[in-house]
């Protein structure tokens, strides 16, 4: 027998429409890597430091704020083994993990393909400096734990209107 | 490849909403009785989630009905239609033969 969560515990975040949740999920996942991409681009331009700082702060803020909202929405529903989840929620959790695997596989395959094309196809030398490795490590370290939560927030359908 | 969000399973029709309303139960009441989240009852009633065999049997047990009275692969005939069809048959059989 599984639990039933109290209806009165539902907050505004719990009732976020799927469309908004999807926007938040994408913004959260794109924010931090976006900041690194923007910073790398900024180094090649003459844009003032103030603009760089503000935009970087906005992108990092998107990841931080988005993570809080997604964690608040999903709570412990994305975790394993999922004690206290009913069968529908366990099923959704499993779907979210499948989606995570698909996303990660796609990212790894695309990343490797790009490097392979650059190195083997165009004879380019790809170098990794400390900054690049740090950026990738931090993005992966931050985004991997968020991915199952974002995936669950993405696939969870809107609740029935009168529920 | 099917996306995880795509609905791939066939629709299972059910009479949960009718039975729940008939007995004056809220979704929360039924959810508590069946040990699921109240939103799950909503998804079940809308046919957006197909229950496991165990949950279907638990619901049937709770309502004291056979499982096929609650769930069907084909759309149910409305209960009112069934009731009145039954009543019409009874009335006709009660009429004296000419």
């Amino acid at each position: 027998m599984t639990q039933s969560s109290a209806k009165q515990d539902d907050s505004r975040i719990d009732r976020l429409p799927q469309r908004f949740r999807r926007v938040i999920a994408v913004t959260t996942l794109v924010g931090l890597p976006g900041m690194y991409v923007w910073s790398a681009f900024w180094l090649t331009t003459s844009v003032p430091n103030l603009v760089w700082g503000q935009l970087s702060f906005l992108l990092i803020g998107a990841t931080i704020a988005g993570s809080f909202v997604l964690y608040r929405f999903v709570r412990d529903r994305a975790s394993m083994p999922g004690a206290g989840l009913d069968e529908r929620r366990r099923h959704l959790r499993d779907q979210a993990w499948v989606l995570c695997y698909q996303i990660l596989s796609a990212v790894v395959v695309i990343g490797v393909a790009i490097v392979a094309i650059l190195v083997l196809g165009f004879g380019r030398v790809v170098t990794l400096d400390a900054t690049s490795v740090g950026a990738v490590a931090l993005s992966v370290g931050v985004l991997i734990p968020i991915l199952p939560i974002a995936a669950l927030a993405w696939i969870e359908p809107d609740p029935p209107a009168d529920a | 490849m099917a996306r995880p969000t795509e609905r791939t399973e066939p629709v299972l029709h059910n009479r949960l909403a009718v039975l729940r309303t008939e007995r004056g139960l809220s979704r929360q009441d039924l959810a508590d009785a069946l040990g699921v989240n109240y939103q799950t009852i909503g998804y079940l009633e809308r046919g957006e989630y197909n229950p496991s065999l165990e949950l279907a049997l638990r619901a049937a047990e709770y309502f004291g009905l056979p499982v096929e009275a609650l769930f069907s692969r084909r759309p149910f005939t409305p209960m009112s239609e069934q009731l009145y069809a039954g009543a019409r048959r009874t009335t006709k059989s009660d009429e004296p033969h000419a």
Side-chain angles (χ1 to χ4, degrees), chain A residues 33-64:
Chain A
M35 191 275 287
Y36 285 117
V37 171
W38 156 242
S39 296
F41 172 72
W42 171 75
L43 288 172
T44 64
T45 66
S46 57
V47 174
N49 283 7
L50 188 67
V51 176
W52 168 78
Q54 284 178 342
L55 194 53
S56 298
F57 183 76
L58 203 69
L59 289 166
I60 293 178
T63 294
I64 294 170

Side-chain angles (χ1 to χ4, degrees), chain A residues 83-161:
Chain A
L85 298 181
D86 70 15
E87 60 174 52
R88 184 188 68 85
R89 289 184 154 184
R90 273 202 304 275
H91 180 65
L92 268 179
R93 189 262 329 259
D94 296 345
Q95 282 185 318
W97 281 91
V98 170
L99 183 58
C100 285
Y101 178 77
Q102 290 174 338
I103 292 169
L104 274 179
S105 307
V107 168
V108 169
V109 168
I110 290 169
V112 169
I114 288 171
V115 173
I117 289 167
L118 285 175
V119 174
L120 302 174
F122 296 98
R124 296 270 297 269
V125 178
V126 178
T127 52
L128 281 175
D129 57 6
T131 313
S132 309
V133 172
V136 171
L138 189 63
S139 296
V140 167
V142 169
L143 298 183
I144 293 285
I146 297 172
L147 195 53
I149 288 148
L152 187 54
W154 178 276
I155 64 170
E156 173 100 40
D158 287 329

Side-chain angles (χ1 to χ4, degrees), chain A residues 1-7 10 14-15 22 86-89 91 95 98-99 102 154-163, chain B residues 1-6 9 27-28 31-40 42-43 46 48-52 54-55 58:
Chain A
M1 185 71 63
T2 52
Q3 58 86 48
S4 62
S5 77
K7 192 177 177 177
D10 284 7
D14 293 313
R15 294 187 160 269
R22 288 184 167 188
D86 70 15
E87 60 174 52
R88 184 188 68 85
R89 289 184 154 184
H91 180 65
Q95 282 185 318
V98 170
L99 183 58
Q102 290 174 338
W154 178 276
I155 64 170
E156 173 100 40
D158 287 329
D162 51 345
Chain B
M1 181 169 55
R3 289 182 302 169
T5 48
E6 275 177 3
E9 69 268 34
R27 280 183 177 159
Q28 185 69 63
D32 289 342
L34 299 182
V36 294
N37 185 275
Y38 76 94
Q39 286 185 349
T40 300
Y43 290 113
R46 287 202 305 193
E48 290 178 8
Y49 173 68
N50 289 349
S52 65
E54 202 267 335
L55 179 58
R58 218 185 309 154

Side-chain angles (χ1 to χ4, degrees), chain B residues 18-47:
Chain B
V18 177
L19 290 165
R20 180 176 62 77
T21 313
E22 194 180 79
R23 293 170 197 222
L25 296 166
S26 67
R27 280 183 177 159
Q28 185 69 63
D29 295 334
L30 186 56
D32 289 342
L34 299 182
V36 294
N37 185 275
Y38 76 94
Q39 286 185 349
T40 300
I41 301 295
Y43 290 113
L44 281 168
E45 288 180 353
R46 287 202 305 193

